Amino acid sequence: MPDCQRLDATPLHANHYADGAAFVSAPIIENVQLARDTYRLRFEAPAIADVITPGQFVMVRVAGIDDPLLGRAFALYDTSDDRTTVDVVYLVHGKLTALLATRQPGDLVEVWGPLGNGFTGSRLAGDIEALDHLILVAGGIGYTPFLAAGREALAQKTYGAPSRSRLSASRVTFCYGVRTAAYVAGEQDFRAAGFDLRIASNDGSIGHNGLVTDLLQQALSETTGPSRRVLCCGPEPMMHAVAEVCLASGVRCDVSLETPMACGLGVCFSCVAKVRQPDGEWDYKRTCVEGPVFDASLIEW
């Protein structure tokens, strides 16, 4: 393989190409309902569980079925402590997820990953960026990357290689927005991990009656200084609003884009996002190999 300097000089190169991903036929261990139309899928895949990191994703399709032919992208929710199984959470919305919801333990799924980048600290390998306050902001199914991200930040667990750059935090606040209480999923997991969980609902059926950005502004008002970071995932209008709040507050915000993907490998260019370049112009970046995590201040919303 060419060395890193040569790859970085290649215009089409991205740091997270899938050449290091594993393709496995994985038996389902559990497929349990967490909330309305929401399921946690656990499958056995040691080759992926051992290396995947918070913010990365896998592509999943049902083995032996060609309709739908393409896989779907699911963020890492968690891994088992012995790094043999991977958990992802999905919302039933479309043909593949409806099919997944019918699968039973022992059935096979085809999985390839890990794919994309993840949530990191500084760019230096092995560095740990210490924060006073890590604030996680999610809308809808966008909460799925944050159990692993928060657990690692609180030093409860390390994912992937020990030498990778990562975040640590003295406290983690999780601002979680839903349409209605029936869609709240993973609440016990987040509380057990020690997150300060704050929920907002559109209809007032649980938590704050209003927008998740209201909770974000409240959390930001509780701490000051540069030792804060916001991680965000959810619908694009929500992420845009979160990015604006963070920009006004002078706080770094990283967003995990939910751009629909066809291949997950960087060849189809269906998942591109407009990202500002160092010269002030913008260019299209592929969410699957140059994301899904981007600095929110660089996104052309």
Side-chain angles (χ1 to χ4, degrees):
M1 172 184 284
D3 60 37
C4 291
Q5 289 183 339
R6 180 175 176 182
L7 284 173
D8 288 339
T10 303
L12 291 180
H13 172 65
N15 291 330
H16 302 283
Y17 272 143
D19 51 0
F23 181 88
V24 298
S25 184
I28 293 173
I29 306 300
E30 290 182 354
N31 192 21
V32 296
Q33 188 167 6
L34 302 181
R36 181 187 294 177
D37 300 329
T38 307
Y39 294 78
R40 175 177 53 76
L41 178 72
R42 176 172 295 165
F43 54 85
E44 185 177 354
I48 297 174
D50 191 47
V51 294
I52 195 167
T53 65
Q56 289 191 297
F57 66 95
V58 294
M59 298 291 287
V60 178
R61 65 186 301 272
V62 177
I65 294 177
D66 294 333
D67 183 21
L69 179 63
L70 299 175
R72 297 293 183 268
F74 299 112
L76 169 70
Y77 186 67
D78 207 359
T79 64
S80 58
D81 289 341
D82 63 0
R83 296 193 180 195
T84 59
T85 65
V86 175
D87 287 359
V88 298
V89 175
Y90 63 94
L91 180 70
V92 176
H93 182 69
K95 185 177 290 186
L96 185 134
T97 49
L99 188 60
L100 270 182
T102 68
R103 300 298 92 179
Q104 301 296 320
D107 291 342
L108 296 179
V109 287
E110 293 177 347
V111 186
W112 56 104
L115 301 169
N117 61 4
F119 301 115
T120 62
S122 69
R123 293 183 176 275
L124 297 177
D127 278 6
I128 300 176
E129 183 177 346
L131 304 170
D132 291 332
H133 195 185
L134 177 63
I135 303 172
L136 312 173
V137 185
I141 196 66
Y143 68 87
T144 57
F146 291 142
L147 180 64
R151 290 190 67 190
E152 184 169 75
L154 291 173
Q156 297 176 2
K157 192 170 182 177
T158 300
Y159 299 82
S163 61
R164 51 175 277 268
S165 170
R166 60 188 188 273
L167 298 171
S168 71
S170 300
R171 59 181 292 208
V172 172
T173 298
F174 182 24
C175 304
Y176 180 11
V178 294
R179 283 180 282 168
T180 187
Y183 285 101
V184 173
E187 182 177 2
Q188 292 182 340
D189 293 336
F190 301 128
R191 294 195 189 280
F195 298 7
D196 175 10
L197 177 62
R198 307 178 187 187
I199 300 175
S201 56
N202 293 352
D203 63 358
S205 57
I206 187 171
H208 170 69
N209 184 2
L211 301 175
V212 73
T213 48
D214 299 336
L215 301 180
L216 169 61
Q217 290 176 321
Q218 180 187 52
L220 287 172
S221 72
E222 296 170 0
T223 54
T224 59
S227 188
R228 299 179 291 173
R229 177 80 69 89
V230 172
L231 308 181
C232 178
C233 184
E236 185 171 309
M238 185 219 73
M239 290 193 290
H240 187 187
V242 168
E244 293 294 323
V245 170
C246 292
L247 184 63
S249 302
V251 176
R252 166 74 180 267
C253 175
D254 293 330
V255 292
S256 179
L257 300 184
E258 292 189 322
T259 312
M261 299 178 191
C263 72
L265 308 175
V267 299
C268 71
F269 285 79
S270 68
C271 64
V272 293
K274 291 183 177 180
V275 180
R276 279 199 297 276
Q277 304 304 294
D279 62 3
E281 298 296 324
W282 63 265
D283 195 7
Y284 284 116
K285 298 295 181 181
R286 292 159 294 176
T287 301
C288 62
V289 293
E290 287 145 332
V293 179
F294 293 95
D295 182 338
S297 67
L298 301 180
I299 301 294
E300 289 283 347
W301 300 100

